[in-house]
Amino acid sequence: MSIQTQSLSQADPRRWMALALLCLANFMVIMDTSIIGVALPAIKEALGYSQESLQWVFNAYVIFFGGLLLLGGKLSDLFGHKRMFMWGFLILTLASLLTGLAWNENVLNIGRALQGFGSALIAPSALTIVMTLFSGNPKELGKAMGFWGASAAAGGSAGVFLGGVITQWLSWEWTFLINVPVGILALLLSPGLLPKGKRGKGSIDIFGSLFVTAALVLVVYGIVTAEHNGWRAPTTVWTLISGAALFILFLIIQAVKKEPLIPLKIFKAPNLAAGNIALIMLSGGWIPLWYFLNLYMQQVLKFSAFTGGVALLPMTILIAIFMIVVTGKLIAKFGMKANIVIGLSALGASLILFSNITPVDGSFLVNVLPASLLGALGMSLAYIPSMMTAMSGAKPEEAGLASGLANTSYQIGSAISLAIMVTIAATTTATHTGENPAVALNAGFQAAFLWSGIVAFAGALLALLFVRSPKQADTTMSNTM
């Protein structure tokens, strides 16, 4: 039985209030990747970061979040989704307090890594609880996933806006400390709102967990530092080779171990691999769009941090409305595959537009708003069906694992793609030496938009080829049973 078809004997009367809490958690987890963007200059000045080391304020969180999601999903399945959700919030809250009070860059980096660990426990358990609470009613599930998807997209976009407001009106410390009262509220509400759930049987694959986490950390580390060290530098090459070797060892362990972290047979579930690929390509287009659009507005158009945050609000509002009101209906009418393909295509078209219509003397209404809304529309169409596709074929006892895989795909896809696009932008900018700095920066941004668009279009093609319709999926499942 799949998660999507699992039926509860009686709908939980607290499910919508629980959903609000779970969406708040999802919003916070994603927001923590973006809220510190505007605050980075203030953090650099206050704690003495170098220009190169400043990247770890962002990367320490993303690497440990993405690298530990699989372990978080497994722990959620073994010890209960509610329990891991609350443990994750406890760790995130304490880590946020540590980062907000950090007295040097090492303490801040450790706090950010711990924030990533807490979020890695929260994300898979929260998504599994959502799927469980609403699995008995397809209409309610579609609506609930709309709220879930909107909270994620809004967290990424609103983080920039909130970061600008907080940094300008309070201080950089509050970009971290804002999590503390929210975390305490979540810990107080969770016992009464979330279903107790069941503990699974089995053991933790310690070596598998260590190898896959270390592999992901090394690969992402190698890519994000290649911008400064160079792709051919020995440190970059050996870091990437070591990560690949550890990942191969991880697969060998999974194949021979009796109770592995990831039973490789899970990939026989219809659409699981295709859904995860779609999430990788979606984040590979969406995160660079958000990142470089923010830089274009602030560094080329000379928007203030607050104005740049406000300029992203139309995207956030469109995503929220579309995911909550429209996406579920479109999924019901046209299916997962059509929405994923059209959504990724719209996102790709938006990025290609940005690669051509972002002049140095551009305006928000002409050069930013139309293409940004098209990108937001693509995200709104593709995110929910990609996530549901990645989880729909998993067994109930593997729900946390499937959720961890889906979230890992999205986070690692975003980290890898962003690192590559930042390198492309920096390389392109460097070829325009001697020109106006704004012109050189803009050339780099346009190159990053172009290649990000290619990633999104490639994702649409892969979804068209490999995402199966329900009839195809049913046939595949019967053949593997």
Side-chain angles (χ1 to χ4, degrees):
M1 184 183 293
S2 69
I3 302 170
Q4 195 170 351
T5 58
Q6 183 185 5
S7 180
L8 299 178
S9 58
Q10 185 176 359
D12 191 326
R14 303 163 298 175
R15 62 192 182 281
W16 293 107
M17 293 181 65
L19 177 66
L21 173 62
L22 296 167
C23 286
L24 175 63
N26 195 37
F27 179 90
M28 281 184 61
V29 165
I30 303 301
M31 183 184 70
D32 278 339
T33 65
S34 61
I35 193 171
I36 48 85
V38 176
L40 287 176
I43 295 173
K44 178 176 181 290
E45 182 178 350
L47 299 183
Y49 278 88
S50 68
Q51 188 63 39
E52 291 186 355
S53 64
L54 187 63
Q55 63 176 313
W56 288 107
V57 180
F58 176 81
N59 289 332
Y61 178 85
V62 173
I63 288 174
F64 279 85
F65 181 27
L68 293 169
L69 273 166
L70 293 175
L71 177 60
K74 183 66 173 180
L75 292 172
S76 177
D77 285 337
L78 289 178
F79 298 108
H81 310 305
K82 177 179 177 179
R83 178 173 298 181
M84 284 301 105
F85 179 85
M86 294 184 66
W87 270 107
F89 252 109
L90 178 61
I91 294 170
L92 177 62
T93 302
L94 294 176
S96 298
L97 182 62
L98 177 63
T99 51
L101 300 177
W103 53 92
N104 61 45
E105 62 178 281
N106 291 329
V107 174
L108 184 63
N109 290 344
I110 292 171
R112 286 291 282 168
L114 290 173
Q115 280 187 311
F117 177 42
S119 296
L121 296 180
I122 293 170
S125 56
L127 180 55
T128 303
I129 294 172
V130 172
M131 299 288 284
T132 302
L133 283 172
F134 295 93
S135 61
N137 187 320
K139 280 190 175 182
E140 285 194 352
L141 178 60
K143 188 175 182 180
M145 289 300 294
F147 281 105
W148 176 264
S151 68
S157 299
V160 178
F161 171 71
L162 291 175
V165 172
I166 291 171
T167 303
Q168 183 165 332
W169 296 103
L170 295 172
S171 67
W172 66 265
E173 290 92 341
W174 279 98
T175 58
F176 304 115
L177 293 175
I178 191 176
N179 287 342
V180 175
V182 179
I184 293 173
L185 179 64
L187 289 169
L188 292 174
L189 293 177
S190 295
L193 288 180
L194 302 183
K196 185 176 181 181
K198 297 180 180 179
R199 296 183 59 166
K201 297 180 179 179
S203 60
I204 301 174
D205 179 8
I206 297 295
F207 286 106
S209 302
L210 290 175
F211 280 136
V212 72
T213 301
L216 292 172
V217 168
L218 285 172
V219 169
V220 174
Y221 176 82
I223 292 173
V224 299
T225 57
E227 176 194 357
H228 303 284
N229 299 333
W231 287 98
R232 297 182 180 179
T235 53
T236 301
V237 172
W238 283 110
T239 299
L240 294 175
I241 290 175
S242 299
L246 285 175
F247 188 73
I248 292 172
L249 285 174
F250 165 72
L251 292 177
I252 293 173
I253 291 173
Q254 302 313 289
V256 301
K257 192 171 179 65
K258 185 177 181 181
E259 294 187 20
L261 179 65
I262 303 179
L264 298 183
K265 64 181 181 181
I266 194 175
F267 290 100
K268 294 181 179 180
N271 280 331
L272 187 142
N276 278 276
I277 291 172
L279 286 167
I280 291 171
M281 307 304 277
L282 177 61
S283 65
W286 173 253
I287 297 301
L289 185 153
W290 158 80
Y291 181 85
F292 288 104
L293 180 56
N294 185 51
L295 291 181
Y296 169 70
M297 290 190 292
Q298 291 195 48
Q299 296 183 357
V300 177
L301 299 184
K302 303 303 181 183
F303 286 13
S304 68
F306 177 77
T307 304
V310 171
L312 293 174
L313 282 180
M315 297 173 66
T316 303
I317 293 170
L318 173 63
I319 289 171
I321 294 175
F322 208 89
M323 283 190 176
I324 294 170
V325 178
V326 181
T327 302
K329 296 177 181 178
L330 292 177
I331 292 174
K333 186 170 184 178
F334 299 107
M336 306 286 191
K337 181 174 183 175
N339 281 275
I340 295 172
V341 172
I342 295 172
L344 282 167
S345 298
L347 177 59
S350 167
L351 286 157
I352 298 300
L353 280 175
F354 274 127
S355 72
N356 289 280
I357 63 166
T358 49
V360 174
D361 58 349
S363 69
F364 170 73
L365 290 177
V366 175
N367 304 104
V368 174
L369 184 61
S372 68
L373 292 179
L374 179 61
L377 177 64
M379 176 65 170
S380 303
L381 286 171
Y383 180 78
I384 296 173
S386 296
M387 188 66 71
M388 294 179 70
T389 298
M391 292 186 64
S392 60
K395 298 177 181 178
E397 62 271 19
E398 295 175 337
L401 174 59
S403 175
L405 277 171
N407 281 285
T408 297
S409 295
Y410 189 87
Q411 294 302 323
I412 297 301
S414 67
I416 292 174
S417 176
L418 183 58
I420 293 172
M421 299 310 163
V422 166
T423 301
I424 289 173
T427 303
T428 305
T429 296
T431 63
H432 288 72
T433 54
E435 298 185 19
N436 182 302
V439 173
L441 277 174
N442 195 46
F445 297 160
Q446 288 183 326
F449 283 133
L450 174 63
W451 284 100
S452 300
I454 292 173
V455 170
F457 277 121
L461 178 61
L462 290 172
L464 182 65
L465 293 175
F466 297 111
V467 174
R468 295 182 175 90
S469 64
K471 289 183 179 179
Q472 290 175 309
D474 290 342
T475 301
T476 303
M477 176 62 84
S478 64
N479 289 336
T480 57
M481 293 181 64

